[in-house]
Amino acid sequence: MSKVTRIATFNPSQEAWGSDAEFEGTCRKGELRGIIAINQDNCVGCDTCSAFCPTEAIKGSLGVAHKINVNRCVNCGQCLVNCPFGAIEQMSFVDTVMQKLSDPGAFVVAHPSPSVRVSIAEEFGGNPGDLTINRLYNAFELAGFHNYDVNFAADQTILEEGTEFIKKVQYWLLGERGGDLEHMAAHPFPHFTSCCPAWVKNAETFHPQLLAHISGAKSPIQMGGALAKTWAAKYVWKVDPRSVYMVAVTPCTAKIFEASRPEFNSARQYLIKNGEIPTNTPNFQDIDAVLTARDIAEIFRRKNINPLTLSDERADETMNVYTGAATIFGNSGGVMEAALRTAYFILSGNELSNPDLIAVRGYETDIVEANIPIPLKDYGGKIAEVKVAVVNGASRNIKTIVDRLIDDRNKYHFVEVMNCPGGCVNGGGQPVRTMGTSWLHPLLPLPLRA
């Protein structure tokens, strides 16, 4: 197997947060821009990157250094992990987090995503999956972090998103009315997942007609950030919520953008509303910093920590409890499968006899389609055929799925979209092999470009 390649990074400049204008291009006030950048000195203009860009944000002639249009970029990093020449770089908060880890007044929390635990070993010479989650927890603790697993929040996400989907089934498919179902009138089928920040940004910029269809549930990382600074700070850690510094550890460069979105400061709003912090407390985000899998490996290296050599022993902790539904979020189809399990249980009154919904899995197919029959307990066992689709990589499939929906609004009830082929396991923040990640089947053969 090829070696892992170091990816060049740069610290965010003050200009990365934009000016005081409410809008600049496709970014709002305070939102980060320029997270992915092409080094003009290293780019040879081979044009490989643009074949993997889902939004045609990369421009340049063959043989001439390319550039990224930040107003079209969704920060997914697929161009970066597939660049054969290492010419594409990533904004990094490693130095910022290192300073926080040295601050005795900061309660710094590592918030690791599901797929980081199966990839981080590669940064230390291991094979994919050569690491237990306990070793990773121990490595975080040795580096100075406290632990809060994103999986803990992913289980809460799926309860939110699954319940939202069930209400749409009741309103639109079964014709029920009344109570808290009425607001579903403004949120028709198909129901789109919302965990992928590159997909959400893509929809906002290029397909705004789909926004009413996207789940209102936050991503697990953002749910975790808000819960950490409210419930966990008060009842689990018993610390001042203003001292909690949440560091999401992700496979995804688009999460760096997501954390900067102005609406994701709900912990501060809640704490002020309930009189738990002064009203003049300066603004703080629910997630303070985002590190990619490559970034956290860099922090471990700076602190001379090799997680592969650490103990596999660790006691269970409140913030690190989760189910298998949370774990599969990192794979294409994982969010869909977890949500359908919840929907099946609530609508039928029974657990699935086999929770493996294999029909929605797979990264060898661009778009996975399936019909999931659900017996309805309140309708004498009548079968509801739930039509679902999983979009496996946005660079080739988003336009296809949008065209299908315009042609037939009833084609699907539920659609999962993951920007990166294979899902988060192939995210733009994952370890990069010298051969890139383009060996994944859905990307081959490379799409022809006019």
Side-chain angles (χ1 to χ4, degrees), residues 377-440:
K377 64 179 180 181
D378 295 334
Y379 291 82
K382 175 185 174 183
I383 300 296
E385 292 284 346
V386 176
K387 298 178 287 187
V388 304
V390 175
V391 179
N392 187 18
S395 62
R396 295 170 63 180
N397 303 309
I398 287 294
K399 188 176 185 307
T400 302
I401 205 92
V402 170
D403 288 345
R404 287 184 187 179
L405 290 172
I406 291 173
D407 290 342
D408 182 1
R409 295 272 177 177
N410 297 314
K411 187 170 182 61
Y412 306 117
H413 297 121
F414 199 173
V415 182
E416 176 194 298
V417 181
M418 288 292 173
N419 179 86
C420 300
C424 305
V425 291
N426 191 37
Q430 293 283 44
V432 176
R433 299 273 177 193
T434 50
M435 61 182 179
T437 58
S438 55
W439 50 270
L440 282 174

Side-chain angles (χ1 to χ4, degrees), residues 16 31 47 79 102 129 135 141 171 205 229 252 288 294 299 303 305 333 347 361 373 376 380 386 401 403 409 426 436:
E31 289 180 336
D47 207 32
C79 57
S102 300
R135 284 195 174 96
E141 193 169 77
Y171 188 90
T205 306
K229 294 185 177 183
C252 175
D288 297 285
R294 300 185 297 266
I299 285 184
K303 289 181 169 286
I305 297 170
L347 289 170
R361 298 181 184 175
L376 303 170
V386 176
I401 205 92
D403 288 345
R409 295 272 177 177
N426 191 37

Side-chain angles (χ1 to χ4, degrees), residues 39-318:
N39 186 318
Q40 297 295 292
D41 294 329
N42 295 338
C43 179
V44 300
C46 71
D47 207 32
T48 301
C49 54
S50 61
F52 294 91
C53 177
T55 58
E56 298 184 348
I58 301 175
K59 299 297 181 186
S61 302
L62 278 172
V64 178
H66 287 19
K67 293 183 178 180
I68 298 176
N69 181 339
V70 295
N71 287 324
R72 298 185 67 89
C73 179
V74 293
N75 310 297
C76 68
Q78 281 298 302
C79 57
L80 182 155
V81 297
N82 287 290
C83 174
F85 299 97
I88 305 183
E89 304 177 354
Q90 172 222 313
M91 183 184 293
S92 171
F93 287 81
V94 165
D95 291 342
T96 305
V97 173
M98 287 291 288
Q99 290 175 6
K100 275 293 175 182
L101 288 169
S102 300
D103 180 354
F107 190 90
V108 187
V109 180
H111 199 35
S113 297
S115 59
V116 171
R117 68 203 65 194
V118 298
S119 65
I120 190 70
E122 298 173 64
E123 288 280 344
F124 296 90
N127 292 316
D130 273 359
L131 179 79
T132 67
I133 188 61
N134 280 343
R135 284 195 174 96
L136 187 58
Y137 292 155
N138 288 333
F140 284 137
E141 193 169 77
L142 195 58
F145 293 97
H146 301 268
N147 284 298
Y148 179 4
D149 202 311
V150 168
N151 281 12
F152 184 87
D155 276 330
Q156 290 152 335
T157 299
I158 214 58
L159 284 175
E160 289 286 339
E161 190 158 329
T163 302
E164 187 181 17
F165 175 67
I166 289 164
K167 289 181 178 178
K168 285 189 179 180
V169 169
Q170 291 174 303
Y171 188 90
W172 289 104
L173 203 59
L174 304 177
E176 297 180 8
R177 295 292 183 270
D180 61 354
L181 297 178
E182 294 309 311
H183 72 286
M184 288 303 162
H187 300 283
F189 280 135
H191 183 68
F192 279 85
T193 55
S194 58
C195 293
C196 174
W199 152 238
V200 173
K201 180 68 172 169
N202 190 322
E204 288 175 332
T205 306
F206 300 101
H207 310 290
Q209 71 272 35
L210 295 182
L211 294 182
H213 298 258
I214 296 177
S215 170
K218 295 179 181 179
S219 70
I221 284 176
Q222 289 301 328
M223 283 198 187
L227 286 166
K229 294 185 177 183
T230 53
W231 171 75
K234 185 173 184 178
Y235 296 108
V236 180
W237 298 320
K238 302 183 188 336
V239 297
D240 186 328
R242 292 169 293 181
S243 71
V244 177
Y245 189 83
M246 287 297 292
V247 181
V249 182
T250 84
C252 175
T253 47
K255 288 290 181 187
I256 299 172
F257 170 81
E258 182 189 76
S260 72
R261 300 182 69 122
E263 65 269 31
F264 288 150
N265 65 347
S266 52
R268 178 180 178 274
Q269 295 179 42
Y270 172 87
L271 293 166
I272 289 177
K273 181 180 178 181
N274 288 277
E276 297 186 31
I277 60 174
T279 56
N280 62 352
T281 300
N283 183 54
F284 58 81
Q285 295 292 98
D286 295 330
I287 295 293
D288 297 285
V290 172
L291 300 177
T292 64
R294 300 185 297 266
D295 290 333
I296 192 63
E298 174 62 17
I299 285 184
F300 288 157
R301 282 190 287 265
R302 290 189 189 184
K303 289 181 169 286
N304 295 316
I305 297 170
N306 182 343
L308 298 179
T309 66
L310 299 183
S311 169
D312 186 25
E313 299 296 322
R314 192 175 181 88
D316 291 338
E317 297 161 296
T318 302

